[in-house]
Amino acid sequence: MIQKIKGTMDILPDKTPLFRYIEGIMREEAQKYGFGEIRTPTFENTELFVRGVGNTTDVVQKEMYTFNDRDENRSISLRPEGTAGVARALIENGKCSDAMPLKYYYIISCFRHEAPQAGRSREFFQFGTEMFGSESPAADATVIALGASVLRRLGLTNVKLHLNSIGCKECRPAYREALVSYFGEHRDEICDTCKKRLDTNPLRLLDCKNKECAELAKDAPRTVDHLCPECAAHFESLKKLLDSMGIEYVVDSSIVRGLDYYTRSVFEFVAEGIGAQSTVCGGGRYDGLVEELGGPALSGIGFGMGITRVILAMEQLGLADISAPAPRLYIASLGEAAVEKAIAIVERLRRSGVYAECDIVGRSLKAQMKYANKLGADYTLIIGDSEVESGKAQLRDMKNSTQSEVSLDDFSI
Ligand code: ATP
Ligand code: MG
């Protein structure tokens, strides 16, 4: 028996309505905020992610699905995230000289070789948004508002916005030094990975999931205390905008985000009570990315929202019971002529936009009625020889237990 790859999932028809409901809200909200859908390839040249996500990140170093193309000897990777591909696409399609801002969204699968657990899989689904071409804090506020709006519409009152600024190229060196000096004093207490991070990417130390490291990170120097005047003003302005838009947040200096390209604003929407994988959405500003990928200096900001984590948060509040619609009508039939009649009526109703069902497996009449009940049909109709002959039958309203006679050839429902 061949089984699915560890860390992937089958989503069966009893669960797809929940996914479609969530994705529908994501699409509607994106549209209201003026974001157009973009679709980019599932796999790209590995180099794109090395440059776009960052060589020192866990994603690139440990988590990418990388392989050699069959006919051309080049390295390809399944996308571990969506931003790099979108940035490449807008450069490649000449969008960088369009009227700004550019606003894109996508709903995609991403692939990371991680330890599978609740809220963490190797293929996962993400709603992502990207806005390019505005450095204004109003762009940050708009992107954050879109994320908040999706979560609000899904009813997720258990989710909180955590906000931070990690500064820019100007403020980073001084902060980096303060961080290296702080963790350097605690070198014996940090994990082996963080010992390496101390040299390669000290900011990542703040993101470590190891208990001792996380404990030390609490008292580490804060980026917000090391911002250059421009970054400080940008952050103040963003907070004021969020206040005026009625979007609640907490400033959280532990938020640094896992990818290399972030500058200034970083944020996470965190759900309470769903376990260790509690970040349902993470994002931030990445002003250097487009240039890094060979395009013009074009600022950007966006987020990725994990759909399965959104579902965990919805389950926590009992909001995840979304089922497929029940049939409007179930036609039970007895005898060959009745089956023929039933399938013709069902087809006529389906063409007029109504979801209707009839028996096609040859159940007994009793079993058909039981099945109609299981499906939760609003109405049932029983057709036997006499109904075929008279062209009339009793339409039964299952909720009110009432009946009325209908003409089989032209009734509507
Ligand atoms: P985490 O710290 O949880 O590993 P991350 O910083 O790696 O998250 P991003 O790269 O910013 O996450 O991805 C954006 C969002 O995608 C996350 O906030 C999360 O909701 C979701 N996500 C990331 N990795 C996974 C995964 N392996 N399985 C399911 N969802 C994921
Ligand atoms: Mg991760």
Side-chain angles (χ1 to χ4, degrees):
M1 175 40 207
I2 300 170
Q3 294 185 320
K4 64 180 177 328
I5 305 274
K6 185 177 165 190
T8 64
M9 62 188 101
D10 300 314
I11 306 165
L12 302 177
D14 64 331
K15 268 285 182 315
T16 43
L18 173 62
F19 277 79
R20 290 178 65 89
Y21 165 74
I22 294 168
E23 290 163 9
I25 284 180
M26 290 167 166
R27 290 182 191 282
E28 280 174 26
E29 291 306 304
Q31 200 265 326
K32 278 194 235 165
Y33 283 77
F35 287 65
E37 186 185 1
I38 184 167
R39 299 190 185 194
T40 63
T42 306
F43 53 89
E44 300 261 7
N45 283 298
T46 301
E47 182 64 18
L48 175 70
F49 302 117
V50 172
R51 270 161 65 184
V53 177
N55 215 352
T56 64
T57 57
D58 283 356
V59 170
V60 167
Q61 288 193 347
K62 301 187 212 151
E63 298 170 3
M64 269 207 302
Y65 282 92
T66 297
F67 52 95
N68 269 333
D69 206 346
R70 208 174 271 276
D71 51 359
E72 290 157 81
N73 193 23
R74 75 177 155 198
S75 178
I76 283 184
S77 295
L78 300 184
R79 65 179 163 218
E81 54 90 60
T83 307
V86 172
R88 178 205 48 71
L90 70 98
I91 300 168
E92 197 164 334
N93 291 280
K95 294 289 167 200
C96 297
S97 46
D98 278 14
M100 296 294 152
L102 304 170
K103 297 190 278 183
Y104 299 119
Y105 86 89
Y106 46 83
I107 296 175
I108 57 170
S109 280
C110 297
F111 307 86
R112 296 185 192 175
H113 194 279
E114 304 195 70
Q117 53 201 288
R120 193 177 293 285
S121 50
R122 291 182 172 176
E123 178 181 22
F124 64 97
F125 311 101
Q126 206 185 68
F127 166 56
T129 67
E130 321 286 351
M131 162 140 47
F132 297 92
S134 173
E135 276 185 44
S136 163
D140 308 46
T142 302
V143 166
I144 290 172
L146 169 52
S149 190
V150 168
L151 299 171
R152 189 184 314 116
R153 266 197 67 192
L154 291 170
L156 294 180
T157 48
N158 53 347
V159 170
K160 230 183 190 166
L161 169 61
H162 293 237
L163 189 66
N164 193 21
S165 175
I166 55 170
C168 65
K169 276 206 292 276
E170 299 298 314
C171 16
R172 200 69 62 77
Y175 177 65
R176 199 187 150 105
E177 213 167 283
L179 210 54
V180 171
S181 143
Y182 171 80
F183 281 108
E185 281 168 31
H186 299 277
R187 197 173 240 286
D188 300 340
E189 297 153 66
I190 59 180
C191 71
D192 287 346
T193 315
C194 278
K195 285 193 181 97
K196 275 190 222 127
R197 287 176 174 142
L198 212 45
D199 300 321
T200 57
N201 195 345
L203 217 61
R204 272 306 74 72
L205 271 108
L206 299 174
D207 213 16
C208 185
K209 307 264 185 316
N210 180 291
K211 219 168 132 214
E212 281 81 38
C213 302
E215 199 53 43
L216 278 171
K218 281 187 192 153
D219 295 321
R222 301 170 350 137
T223 51
V224 283
D225 297 327
H226 293 77
L227 298 179
C228 68
E230 288 78 20
C231 286
H234 194 275
F235 193 46
E236 283 313 305
S237 174
L238 170 59
K239 288 190 283 184
K240 241 165 102 191
L241 287 168
L242 291 175
D243 290 339
S244 76
M245 293 162 95
I247 295 170
E248 285 178 30
Y249 57 86
V250 288
V251 174
D252 180 347
S253 58
S254 74
I255 305 286
V256 292
R257 311 291 309 124
L259 314 180
D260 264 2
Y261 49 64
Y262 286 101
T263 52
R264 291 192 167 167
S265 318
V266 286
F267 58 89
E268 288 185 359
F269 287 92
V270 182
E272 279 150 28
I274 66 165
Q277 270 57 251
S278 56
T279 302
V280 299
C281 175
R285 184 167 271 288
Y286 42 83
D287 287 345
L289 176 67
V290 177
E291 208 174 4
E292 173 66 35
L293 296 178
L298 196 61
S299 57
I301 172 148
F303 66 70
M305 190 180 285
I307 294 178
T308 32
R309 293 199 195 169
V310 164
I311 290 175
L312 288 177
M314 288 174 75
E315 282 169 349
Q316 180 74 14
L317 299 184
L319 299 171
D321 287 329
I322 307 285
S323 44
R328 187 86 177 123
L329 172 69
Y330 183 89
I331 305 179
S333 55
L334 199 63
E336 211 171 297
V339 171
E340 212 172 275
K341 192 81 195 162
I343 205 157
I345 296 171
V346 161
E347 177 62 14
R348 175 170 68 77
L349 290 172
R350 286 173 177 167
R351 286 190 198 186
S352 71
V354 173
Y355 171 28
E357 292 279 15
C358 64
D359 179 62
I360 53 170
V361 295
R363 285 188 172 89
S364 71
L365 194 58
K366 196 174 159 206
Q368 288 184 54
M369 293 315 287
K370 214 171 146 190
Y371 187 63
N373 248 329
K374 182 176 137 88
L375 291 178
D378 295 333
Y379 292 88
T380 55
L381 198 61
I382 301 177
I383 305 181
D385 287 342
S386 68
E387 282 79 10
V388 173
E389 203 160 299
S390 67
K392 294 194 166 62
Q394 294 293 320
L395 181 70
R396 186 174 175 78
D397 181 331
M398 299 299 280
K399 283 201 188 79
N400 301 326
S401 301
T402 53
Q403 306 212 118
S404 59
E405 192 177 77
V406 293
S407 158
L408 290 179
D409 287 329
D410 54 16
F411 77 97
S412 55
I413 198 167

